[in-house]
């Protein structure tokens, strides 16, 4: 099949590469000429395990192309996939300017039947706006060309996106036309062959499903962090509690790990957007408001623990920070807890020596050169001369460190563990002062 994807960001590139890998002919269109030039040189602008090789293989095979020419893109594909960004507006609602701009672009150049797919994460009712924008553009041209609009939200986890696309848990299709259902089934058939994972519903339900999924996961995280903060005050260990409640199959173990708060491009943005969408319908989504509030507060927990440990005297201190990305296996720093921690430390006159296996370059891009930030080439290098160590991202290489080496490099043997990677009792026996999240014996923040 021939597929055109508007937007060569995270969702667009993963979707395009995976569809091409299944034998489809995919054309990715983007207004960023520099990005397209880089992609045509074989440079992938985002980090996602396995994506570089997938793009290279399919580009060389002629199944994956990159262009800035929207006219060629509209002519190319039966399927016109909208995968552009929907950044939060000033009030937290989703900004649909890019989505609707693509719809008008398709309307300006369409001359035969097309299936227009919204894959961007968008509020309920966006498909209606896309249909209206496209139809108005056709009317202005004096043309009557048939098209259908489909909601097909993505459920890709950063760091595991290729596996998520190739072996999906589900493929949600929102449509009001049975013919489109069959076309979408054919498009996804290579990825759902062992059993049918296509779930067809009306368009508005499909649009809400994406927001509902992310809001549910964010709620589990915030709820667990709320429990962790209570556990510290009760003298309980949240890790024992986590195992106790996770054994209940109605709850399960996924997304009940306490920590320093969630970040990334999806959860913060989508929870806010869903809350604002509810408000636009005169509904006060109190639970979503609380989820946001708890997460904002949780990102400050490590800093408050440091303030208490050092008696409020952080000026002149140096903190070693392991982990900058919002989660492992990505370089994404959007809404990352590390940013909140570093900026709070800098405001108090402290310095940071930081290491991340992948996100160092992204951190440099965001903050540039500054005297109170040293970006290190290894975890051990970050320890040199630091007053304490903070764990912010749960990269695998941080799970079993050389504790004696850590102790020898720090001015004080103090660890602030924002991901509960370590055993408090074991570290205490080794002579460390240990602060986890909800670990009972540690003083609450």
């Amino acid at each position: 099949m021939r597929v055109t994807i508007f937007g060569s960001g995270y969702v667009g590139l993963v979707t395009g590469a995976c569809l091409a890998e299944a034998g489809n002919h995919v054309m990715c269109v983007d207004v960023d000429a520099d990005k397209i030039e880089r992609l045509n040189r074989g440079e992938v602008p985002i980090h996602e395990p396995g994506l570089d090789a997938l793009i290279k293989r399919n580009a060389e095979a002629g199944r994956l192309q990159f262009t800035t020419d929207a006219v060629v893109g509209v002519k190319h594909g039966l399927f016109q996939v909208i995968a552009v960004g929907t950044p939060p507006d000033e009030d937290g609602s989703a900004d649909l300017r890019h989505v609707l701009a693509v719809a008008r672009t398709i309307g300006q150049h369409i001359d035969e039947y097309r299936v227009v797919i919204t894959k961007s994460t968008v509020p309920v009712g966006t498909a209606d706006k896309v249909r209206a924008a496209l139809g108005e553009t056709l009317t202005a041209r004096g043309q009557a060309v048939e098209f259908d609009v489909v909601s097909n939200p993505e459920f890709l986890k950063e760091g595991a996106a290729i596996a998520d696309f190739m072996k999906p848990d589900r493929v949600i299709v929102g449509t009001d036309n049975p013919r489109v259902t069959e076309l979408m089934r054919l498009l996804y058939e290579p990825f759902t062959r062992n059993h049918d994972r296509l779930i067809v519903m009306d368009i508005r339900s499909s649009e809400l499903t994406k927001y509902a999924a992310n809001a549910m996961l964010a709620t589990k995280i915030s709820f667990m962090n709320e429990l962790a903060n209570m556990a510290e005050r009760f003298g309980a260990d949240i890790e024992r509690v986590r195992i106790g409640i996770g054994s209940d199959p109605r709850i399960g173990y996924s997304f009940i790990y306490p920590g320093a708060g969630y970040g990334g491009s999806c959860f913060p943005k989508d929870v806010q957007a869903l809350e604002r969408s509810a408000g636009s319908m005169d509904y006060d989504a109190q639970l979503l408001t609380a989820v946001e509030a708890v997460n904002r507060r949780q990102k400050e927990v490590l800093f408050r623990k440091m303030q208490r440990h050092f008696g409020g005297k952080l000026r002149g201190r140096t903190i070693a920070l392991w982990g900058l990305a919002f989660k492992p296996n990505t370089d994404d720093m959007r809404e990352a807890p590390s940013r909140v921690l570093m900026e709070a430390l800098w405001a108090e006159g402290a310095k940071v020596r930081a290491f991340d296996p992948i996100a160092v370059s992204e951190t440099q891009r965001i903050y540039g050169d500054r005297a109170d930030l040293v970006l290190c080439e290894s975890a051990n290098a970050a320890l040199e001369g630091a007053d304490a160590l903070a764990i912010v991202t749960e990269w695998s290489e941080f799970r079993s460190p050389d504790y004696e080496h850590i102790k020898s490099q720090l001015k004080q043997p103090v660890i602030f563990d924002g991901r509960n990677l370590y055993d408090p009792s074991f570290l205490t026996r080794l002579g460390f002062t240990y602060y986890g999240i909800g670990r009972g014996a540690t003083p609450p923040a």
Side-chain angles (χ1 to χ4, degrees):
M1 290 187 170
R2 300 175 73 84
V3 182
T4 297
I5 299 177
F6 286 90
S8 295
Y10 188 86
V11 173
L13 286 178
V14 172
T15 300
C18 291
L19 287 174
E21 180 73 2
N24 299 291
H25 292 268
V26 180
M27 180 174 289
C28 293
V29 181
D30 202 288
V31 296
D32 188 337
D34 180 62
K35 180 188 289 186
I36 293 299
E37 186 178 334
R38 289 180 61 193
L39 285 163
N40 282 323
R41 290 199 305 264
E43 300 174 13
V44 179
I46 61 172
H47 176 83
E48 176 62 32
L51 183 59
D52 295 51
L54 205 62
I55 288 176
K56 182 176 185 294
R57 179 165 62 250
N58 285 282
E60 290 177 349
R63 292 190 298 268
L64 183 59
Q65 299 172 270
F66 303 99
T67 183
T68 58
D69 192 335
V71 178
V72 174
V74 175
K75 302 292 184 188
H76 172 82
L78 166 64
F79 298 97
Q80 301 279 305
V81 181
I82 302 177
V84 294
T86 53
D89 217 334
E90 290 182 4
D91 64 350
S93 60
D95 185 344
L96 296 178
R97 284 178 297 174
H98 304 308
V99 170
L100 297 179
V102 172
R104 295 186 189 98
T105 297
I106 295 171
Q108 287 166 2
H109 305 295
I110 187 174
D111 57 9
E112 59 181 322
Y113 176 73
R114 292 289 182 260
V115 178
V116 180
I117 301 171
T118 57
K119 190 163 276 292
S120 303
T121 301
V122 293
V124 177
T126 298
D128 294 338
K129 295 179 180 180
V130 168
R131 183 183 289 109
L134 209 158
E136 289 165 5
T137 307
L138 280 171
T139 300
R141 288 174 53 201
Q143 299 292 319
V145 181
E146 187 183 4
F147 66 90
D148 280 295
V149 177
V150 181
S151 170
N152 177 218
E154 54 84 15
F155 296 93
L156 306 176
K157 297 187 295 291
E158 289 192 46
I162 292 173
D164 286 343
F165 196 100
M166 294 293 198
K167 298 178 180 179
D169 297 318
R170 75 285 205 200
V171 176
I172 303 294
V173 173
T175 180
D176 50 16
N177 186 339
R179 175 178 63 175
V180 174
T181 300
E182 293 311 307
L183 288 172
M184 295 296 288
R185 196 179 300 280
L186 285 171
L187 182 64
Y188 279 103
E189 195 271 341
F191 310 103
T192 61
R193 296 190 72 175
N194 59 345
H195 69 272
D196 189 5
R197 292 182 172 87
L198 205 77
I199 301 174
V200 182
M201 59 186 71
D202 63 278
I203 292 174
R204 286 184 169 238
S205 296
S206 173
E207 290 172 329
L208 181 56
T209 296
K210 169 62 177 183
Y211 275 129
N214 280 352
M216 174 65 80
L217 297 175
T219 300
K220 291 182 74 173
I221 294 170
S222 279
F223 179 73
M224 209 61 197
N225 283 333
E226 192 86 298
L227 284 179
N229 296 333
M230 294 166 61
E232 288 187 357
R233 288 155 175 81
F234 293 149
D237 186 343
I238 194 63
E239 291 299 318
R240 303 290 179 88
V241 176
R242 177 181 63 79
I243 293 169
I245 65 175
S247 61
D248 185 332
R250 296 171 301 173
I251 298 172
Y253 292 103
S254 297
F255 285 84
I256 61 169
Y257 289 85
Y262 60 75
S265 63
C266 294
F267 288 4
K269 175 175 70 71
D270 293 352
V271 171
Q272 288 182 32
L274 184 56
E275 181 190 1
R276 303 308 185 272
S277 293
S280 71
M281 303 300 291
D282 297 322
Y283 182 77
D284 181 11
Q286 296 179 14
L287 179 59
L288 296 181
T289 303
V291 169
E292 279 190 84
V294 168
N295 192 57
R296 284 195 301 269
R297 183 178 63 189
Q298 197 67 19
K299 290 181 179 181
E300 300 171 356
V301 165
L302 285 181
F303 175 70
R304 293 200 299 270
K305 289 178 183 291
M306 291 178 187
Q307 276 189 314
R308 181 170 287 108
H309 176 82
F310 290 111
K313 299 175 181 177
L314 286 167
R315 182 168 298 279
R317 302 279 186 184
T318 298
I319 304 299
L321 195 152
W322 283 3
L324 293 163
F326 87 94
K327 62 180 276 189
N329 298 317
T330 181
D331 64 350
D332 196 339
M333 294 280 292
R334 285 173 288 185
E335 302 284 343
S338 64
R339 298 180 65 170
V340 176
L341 176 58
M342 288 192 296
E343 289 165 15
L345 289 168
W346 294 332
E348 291 295 311
K351 297 180 179 179
V352 174
R353 294 178 61 85
F355 169 73
D356 187 284
I358 293 175
V360 166
S361 296
E362 180 65 5
T363 307
Q364 176 72 40
R365 185 192 68 80
I366 294 169
Y367 292 111
D369 295 324
R370 47 187 302 158
D372 49 10
L373 173 62
V374 178
L375 296 172
C376 303
E377 295 183 356
S378 69
N380 285 338
L383 299 170
E384 296 173 8
D387 292 278
L389 168 63
I391 315 293
V392 189
T393 312
E394 63 276 30
W395 287 94
S396 295
E397 66 182 83
F398 301 155
R399 293 182 180 274
S400 298
D402 183 337
Y403 295 109
E404 290 303 322
H405 180 76
I406 293 174
K407 198 172 178 182
S408 70
Q409 294 298 301
L410 296 177
K411 291 180 181 177
Q412 303 176 36
V414 182
I415 294 179
F416 297 91
D417 185 357
R419 298 299 174 185
N420 286 355
L421 296 186
Y422 308 137
D423 184 325
S425 299
F426 178 66
L427 288 191
T428 300
R429 290 197 300 271
L430 291 180
F432 284 92
T433 300
Y434 175 83
Y435 298 93
I437 304 294
R439 303 310 297 267
T442 60

